[in-house]
Amino acid sequence: MWNNGAIALLLLSALTACNMTNSNGSNTGMTINEITNRPNANLIGKTVTVSGEIEEVISLKAFIIEGDGFFNDPELLVVNLSDSPIVNDSNIQVTGTVRQFSKSEIEKQLDLNLAQQLEAEFKGKPLLVATAITLTPEPGEVAEEPAPFIGKNVTISGKVERVISRNAFTLDDQEFIGGKELLVVGATGAIDTGETVRVTGTIRKFVAAEIEKDLGVKLQPELKAKYEGRAAAIAQSIEIVQ
């Protein structure tokens, strides 16, 4: 027989699991659709973390992201208060505070000058005032068109295609069939072919002499011959996710 205390504890545990808050108090695992379709009062003032694709860059301080559906993807306006760079048409993860869009209020409170076109499209809708942004491109996206990502910090997930040495492997990309593999340098520990990993690091042009000097490693001749001048992710951390 359940007593009142046990029921209360069970309900509290369920609510905690549903909220899915992380250590800094933000709601994680939310979708753009959930933010745009829920009554605004439920989320206004709350900190959330969402992932999506940059649909349109309006300015250095404003852009639009869309969800991951195939049709009628919901769109969310993001005001960028962080110093993090963005790349058009690339995947991104954004943490920020949900606000209700009013062009005059946002411009006054945040000292911004927003495009007039936003007023008609987003008036009264929720927007996200971003405080942290992480670029999350696909491996093949970086390998095929590295220029927008050179020098930028990214978090990339993919399957290990080939382990070259204890400090280098390549990432496959299921999204880009037949695309180029992306070299990851700076790996430590046991990484096996076929594992899915999440790599956080900086995208650089692979110049073997510079990489060896900066990382204090000796690279294999194969790397120098095959990847010189191509893009590489210089790993700061690697997490096995599958």
Side-chain angles (χ1 to χ4, degrees), residues 87 137-152 154 180 182 203-206 229-232:
V87 175
E138 300 291 344
E141 181 183 357
V142 177
E144 291 286 347
E145 298 184 30
F149 300 97
I150 296 295
K152 295 182 174 63
V154 300
K180 295 179 181 178
L182 178 66
I203 302 301
R204 289 177 57 174
K205 185 176 181 180
F206 184 78
R230 292 169 60 175

Side-chain angles (χ1 to χ4, degrees), residues 133-210:
I133 288 175
T134 302
L135 294 175
T136 57
E138 300 291 344
E141 181 183 357
V142 177
E144 291 286 347
E145 298 184 30
F149 300 97
I150 296 295
K152 295 182 174 63
N153 294 325
V154 300
T155 295
I156 300 179
S157 298
K159 183 176 292 186
V160 177
E161 179 176 344
R162 188 163 58 100
V163 176
I164 301 169
S165 70
R166 65 179 301 275
N167 55 29
F169 62 87
T170 62
L171 282 180
D172 189 16
D173 189 349
Q174 297 177 352
E175 297 291 328
F176 283 71
I177 299 175
K180 295 179 181 178
E181 58 188 8
L182 178 66
L183 176 66
V184 178
V185 179
T188 57
I191 302 293
D192 294 325
T193 300
E195 289 184 320
T196 299
V197 297
R198 182 181 296 116
V199 177
T200 297
T202 304
I203 302 301
R204 289 177 57 174
K205 185 176 181 180
F206 184 78
V207 179
E210 295 179 1

